[in-house]
């Protein structure tokens, strides 16, 4: 009878749920890519990039005019030629009815390069 303290029962270790959002996005991307609907996938990439620009740099994305280009380059830290190249590629994709796999990959490379070079 020397148990002066109360004994607590052992609490089992519960594994936290895994974050599978990134896996889900990659799977959906693979499905679009395998279906060959490159234009639709490009539109989704563009919409995501525009949302990123609005959120991070607080810039309206309706027009890619001179003012927008200058502000985007200044706020993001991405060189003006790279900003101009990306925006002209976005405009080209939006103007076309179809998109080849190589065009989609080129667009993706430009968008990813923007994400990596911008100081957002």
């Amino acid at each position: 009878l020397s148990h002066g303290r109360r004994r607590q029962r052992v609490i089992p270790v519960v594994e936290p749920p895994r974050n599978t959002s990134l896996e889900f996005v990659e799977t959906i991307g693979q499905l679009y890519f395998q279906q060959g609907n490159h234009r639709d996938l490009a539109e989704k990439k563009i919409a995501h990039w525009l949302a990123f620009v609005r959120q991070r740099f607080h810039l309206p994305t309706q027009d890619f005019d001179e003012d927008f280009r200058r502000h985007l380059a200044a706020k993001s830290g991405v060189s003006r030629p790279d900003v101009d190249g990306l925006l002209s590629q976005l405009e080209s994709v939006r103007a076309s009815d179809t998109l080849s796999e190589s065009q989609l990959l080129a667009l993706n490379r430009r968008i990813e390069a923007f994400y990596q070079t911008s100081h957002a």
Side-chain angles (χ1 to χ4, degrees):
L1 294 173
S2 64
H3 293 186
R5 289 189 183 176
R6 245 181 48 183
R7 288 190 156 200
Q8 289 185 340
R9 64 183 172 94
V10 177
I11 299 172
V13 176
V14 177
E15 292 292 322
R18 285 184 42 222
N19 183 356
T20 57
S21 333
L22 189 56
E23 291 174 21
F24 175 74
V25 169
E26 287 173 354
T27 302
I28 296 300
Q30 287 292 331
L31 283 173
Y32 270 100
F33 192 74
Q34 288 169 0
Q35 287 176 352
N37 195 347
H38 305 309
R39 175 93 170 65
D40 194 32
L41 187 54
E43 280 297 328
K44 286 179 178 22
K45 294 279 298 177
I46 291 170
H48 185 267
W49 182 80
L50 292 173
F52 172 80
V53 168
R54 285 190 299 272
Q55 179 193 17
R56 292 290 168 99
F57 306 117
H58 308 289
L59 293 172
T61 56
Q62 293 86 4
D63 296 319
F64 296 158
D65 58 3
E66 177 63 27
D67 202 35
F68 173 78
R69 291 168 186 263
R70 188 170 28 81
H71 280 93
L72 181 59
K75 287 186 172 192
S76 68
V78 176
S79 73
R80 179 61 191 265
D82 288 344
V83 167
D84 288 340
L86 173 58
L87 293 176
S88 66
Q89 195 164 11
L90 293 180
E91 289 170 333
S92 168
V93 165
R94 285 181 155 179
S96 68
D97 291 334
T98 60
L99 198 66
S100 71
E101 181 178 330
S102 61
Q103 289 171 308
L104 174 63
L105 293 173
L107 173 68
N108 186 57
R109 275 192 296 277
R110 283 233 178 179
I111 289 175
E112 291 301 320
F114 181 90
Y115 287 140
Q116 289 177 353
T117 25
S118 70
H119 37 268

